[in-house]
Amino acid sequence: MIKRLIDSIYASKLKLAFEVITITYEVDSSGVREYLLDQQLEGKAKVIVNREDVGKAESRNQGIRAAQGKYVYILDDDTEINGEAVEGIFSFMEANPRCGIASPKLLNTDKTVQASARRFPTIHGKILRNAPPALCSIDDIYGNYDISFKVDYLIGASQFVRREMFDKCGYMDPDSGRGVEDIEICMMAWEHGYEVWYVNNLSIFHHQSFAIKNEFFSRKTIIHFMSLIYFFKKYRYFFARNKIYQKLRLELDSKGMIIGWKGRNL
C-alpha cells in the first residue's frame, strides 16, 4: 500500500517544497520496513524505525515532531494523492488562517465518495457502525458531501494540519490506542480556536476505508472499542455529543452544523 502512496507523491510533481516522513517498526514481516529504508537511501523518504508498534497516535506525534514545514499532511498508507489536491488544500489553508485542519474529499477505489467528515462519535453509534448491515448506524454521518463545510472531525486517513497548531494544542495522547487519534486532534483544534474543514472540490483516493467494516468481532474492532472506551472516559461523555459541544463552546445551527463558538463568530 505505502509504495502506491509514495509513488503518487513523486508522480504528482508538486510545485511545493516537501519532505516525506514515514514511521515503521523493527518487527515487520511484510517487507515494508525494507522498502522504506530503500526509499531513504534514494533520498525519497525519511524513515523513523521504532523497536515496536507504538500505536497510531504516538507514530503520528513522531512524524509531526520531525517535520519542518509550515503544514503537515498526515496520510494513511492506503491513500493515493495528486498534485491538484495537495496544492489546492495548501491554497485553502493559506486563504483561511483560522483553519487548523482540512482535507479533500476521499474516494473509494471505485470513485464513490467516502463519508470522511463526521460528527463527534457516540458509544452506541461507534459500536453499531461495525455491526452487520441490518444494524449499522449512520448516527455520525452528515447528509451532504457535495459541499465544503466545517465539520466536527475528519477521519485520520487524510488530515492537512497547520504546524503551529501543535505548539498551542500539544500532541495527541499516546495512550489513546487506535482509531480515536483522528477525533482527538480535531477536538484539540476546535478547543484552541481552529476550524476543521471538509473541502469538496478536491479529492484523493483512500483504498481501504472499509478494512474493519463487517469484522464485528475481529481483534481490530476489539482494540478499537477499547480505545473508544478510553476516549469517552477521558472526555466524560458516552451517549450525548451535546456534552462535547458544550465543553468546546461550539454553537450549532438547526441542522446540527457548526456555525461558531459561543460568544464569537467563525
Side-chain angles (χ1 to χ4, degrees):
M1 287 294 181
I2 197 166
K3 181 180 185 304
R4 177 166 48 192
L5 170 58
I6 291 178
D7 286 349
S8 73
I9 293 171
Y10 286 96
S12 296
K13 300 187 184 303
L14 294 169
K15 297 175 184 177
L16 304 169
F18 68 92
E19 58 183 341
V20 177
I21 301 170
T22 62
I23 316 296
T24 188
Y25 51 98
E26 290 181 0
V27 182
D28 171 38
S29 59
S30 66
V32 169
R33 183 172 66 92
E34 287 71 19
Y35 167 75
L36 291 176
L37 291 173
D38 287 344
Q39 295 299 294
Q40 182 167 253
L41 287 174
E42 294 178 18
K44 291 185 175 180
K46 176 180 179 179
V47 183
I48 297 173
V49 181
N50 290 308
R51 282 187 151 183
E52 58 186 6
D53 185 354
V54 296
K56 268 196 171 182
E58 183 55 25
S59 293
R60 294 182 177 202
N61 287 340
Q62 290 174 339
I64 293 161
R65 290 188 183 101
Q68 300 180 50
K70 182 178 180 180
Y71 299 100
V72 180
Y73 198 178
I74 301 171
L75 291 162
D76 277 358
D77 62 0
D78 53 7
T79 53
E80 183 179 355
I81 69 158
N82 59 81
E84 180 183 4
V86 176
E87 291 172 1
I89 211 74
F90 171 85
S91 296
F92 179 87
M93 298 288 281
E94 289 286 282
N96 295 274
R98 283 183 181 268
C99 183
I101 307 174
S103 175
K105 177 192 302 180
L106 299 191
L107 302 177
N108 296 308
T109 305
D110 63 2
K111 297 186 179 180
T112 55
V113 178
Q114 294 178 15
S116 57
R118 298 178 184 169
R119 303 182 194 280
F120 291 130
T122 57
I123 191 68
H124 56 285
K126 275 291 189 178
I127 292 172
L128 292 177
R129 171 169 288 281
N130 291 314
L135 299 174
C136 189
S137 168
I138 55 171
D139 173 67
D140 59 351
I141 300 301
Y142 290 101
N144 185 1
Y145 288 92
D146 293 328
I147 58 171
S148 297
F149 59 102
K150 293 182 283 289
V151 304
D152 291 13
Y153 81 97
L154 297 161
I155 67 170
S158 168
Q159 293 180 329
F160 197 96
V161 188
R162 195 175 297 277
R163 179 66 178 78
E164 70 174 35
M165 199 184 85
F166 297 102
D167 297 330
K168 298 180 180 179
C169 303
Y171 293 85
M172 288 171 273
D173 182 351
D175 296 324
S176 63
R178 295 179 181 277
V180 297
E181 69 287 332
D182 51 359
I183 309 166
E184 183 167 49
I185 191 174
C186 294
M187 195 175 287
M188 289 162 52
W190 283 115
E191 186 174 14
H192 289 83
Y194 291 97
E195 302 168 0
V196 182
W197 276 84
Y198 170 85
V199 183
N200 168 68
N201 63 319
L202 306 166
S203 64
I204 66 170
F205 282 105
H206 181 213
H207 293 287
Q208 292 291 317
S209 66
F210 302 112
I212 299 180
K213 194 75 171 176
N214 299 325
E215 297 180 11
F216 193 37
F217 294 111
S218 70
R219 181 174 179 273
K220 287 182 180 179
T221 54
I222 291 170
I223 292 173
H224 182 52
F225 179 73
M226 297 306 295
S227 300
L228 285 167
I229 294 298
Y230 176 88
F231 171 83
F232 287 121
K233 288 176 68 176
K234 177 179 177 179
Y235 289 99
R236 299 182 181 181
Y237 88 103
F238 286 85
F239 299 102
R241 64 172 58 91
N242 283 341
K243 290 185 178 180
I244 205 64
Y245 293 138
Q246 291 170 6
K247 175 182 172 64
L248 300 176
R249 298 181 58 80
L250 293 175
E251 185 175 358
L252 311 180
D253 66 14
S254 60
K255 296 181 180 179
M257 306 293 287
I258 296 173
I259 56 175
W261 288 278
K262 291 181 180 178
R264 61 184 172 120
N265 293 324
L266 286 175

